[in-house]
Amino acid sequence: MDYTINHAGATTVSALLAEAGASADEVKAVWLSYPTATFVKADSFGKELEVAEGTATLRTYGESDCMCDALCNVVNELRMATECTCTFGHEGGYQLSVILNDACNKKGKPTDIALMRDLAPVMEKQAICGEGQAIGRAVSQALDLFGAEIEPHFAKRQCPTSGCAAFKTYHVLVSKCTGCGKCIKACDDDAILGKAKFVHVINQKKCTQCGACLEACPEGAIVRAGNKKPKTPPKPIPVKRK
Ligand code: SF4
Ligand code: SF4
């Protein structure tokens, strides 16, 4: 969630959250926008930090938010905010954006972690614009603070929090499906198997995670799942619901 803050000078994230009227209870990390441009983990919310003058955004992340996705968004926002065309600010920012976008879309490569580790500090030092330097700093910082969440996107093509939309899967609950067929009509990818009065089944290989079936189901029988998947039959079975 984003909060607008107006604070300059020394403070703590705890104080900023209180000023913004936000609870720190379920917040695992925050991002303070440019020019402060820093991630802070919950265990450091009480530590003093220097906030740059001007209106800024305080972005909070909860347990179900993915910090790889969060970093990707921050890098993309910083890139959009600058017109700098220097090699490290522009080209480096582009490279990091592509790498992170791929990782959030199940296309991460193990070698890209080392690439980011090499490129980010160079950008921080060599980029001409402040935003380019901030991109380098944010990437190094996020890898240090949230490596356990970010690295599996590259090493195993997994999202530990399932916060990345591409890693979520859709399933039909046997206990709720009436076999009405409305989900099949809503699916443009032919990813649903079923017939009247049979529990429908989603073919995960064909599903593009568009969410149209979930919207179309009048019974609330379709759910979006993260790491914990509901048990579903491999093929349609007669409906169990009375
Ligand atoms: S999420 Fe989209 S692609 Fe997947 S089964 Fe539902 S409608 Fe089809
Ligand atoms: S999942 Fe929903 S829309 Fe699809 S057949 Fe079952 S009840 Fe109907």
Side-chain angles (χ1 to χ4, degrees):
M1 191 172 285
D2 283 359
Y3 299 90
T4 302
I5 54 162
N6 265 301
H7 192 109
T11 184
T12 63
V13 170
S14 298
L16 290 174
L17 286 167
E19 275 173 45
S23 161
D25 285 354
E26 315 241 310
V27 178
K28 68 177 176 187
V30 300
W31 164 254
L32 268 161
S33 69
Y34 185 82
T36 305
T38 190
F39 283 108
V40 184
K41 225 173 157 181
D43 57 9
S44 299
F45 282 0
K47 284 193 187 154
E48 200 170 275
L49 82 166
E50 202 65 30
V51 177
E53 199 173 338
T55 304
T57 299
L58 176 70
R59 181 170 297 161
T60 59
Y61 303 104
E63 282 309 320
S64 59
D65 291 318
C66 170
M67 296 313 291
C68 190
D69 184 53
L71 177 62
C72 185
N73 288 332
V74 160
V75 168
N76 288 336
E77 284 170 13
L78 286 166
R79 285 188 66 232
M80 298 291 284
T82 178
E83 290 178 358
C84 183
T85 54
C86 75
T87 305
F88 286 108
H90 185 72
E91 294 300 324
Y94 173 75
Q95 286 299 330
L96 289 170
S97 168
V98 169
I99 287 172
L100 287 162
N101 273 307
D102 278 354
C104 292
N105 285 289
K106 299 183 174 172
K107 294 184 211 150
K109 294 197 283 295
T111 48
D112 281 347
I113 285 281
L115 207 62
M116 287 199 294
R117 284 264 183 216
D118 287 345
L119 180 55
V122 181
M123 274 189 75
E124 190 179 350
K125 279 202 193 106
Q126 308 274 356
I128 291 171
C129 62
E131 287 90 346
Q133 295 163 13
I135 289 173
R137 195 164 61 246
V139 169
S140 294
Q141 192 186 32
L143 288 172
D144 289 343
L145 293 177
F146 315 113
E149 265 186 46
I150 295 174
E151 290 184 16
H153 291 74
F154 297 88
K156 301 180 196 161
R157 293 193 173 170
Q158 287 176 1
C159 174
T161 62
S162 291
C164 291
F167 287 85
K168 291 202 165 98
T169 48
Y170 288 77
H171 307 267
V172 178
L173 299 176
V174 174
S175 59
K176 289 192 172 176
C177 180
T178 59
C180 71
K182 287 192 174 141
C183 54
I184 290 190
K185 289 193 188 114
C187 180
D188 288 337
D189 295 287
D190 285 334
I192 303 180
L193 303 169
K195 58 184 180 181
K197 299 285 174 201
F198 272 67
V199 172
H200 287 40
V201 173
I202 294 176
N203 179 340
Q204 300 300 335
K205 286 193 180 136
K206 283 190 167 182
C207 178
T208 56
Q209 289 94 30
C210 73
C213 56
L214 189 141
E215 298 292 323
C217 176
E219 306 295 335
I222 298 182
V223 291
R224 196 163 70 151
N227 286 335
K228 209 171 162 202
K229 314 287 184 198
K231 236 182 164 179
T232 54
K235 56 184 186 184
I237 55 170
V239 295
K240 296 202 169 163
R241 198 175 144 176
K242 299 261 188 293

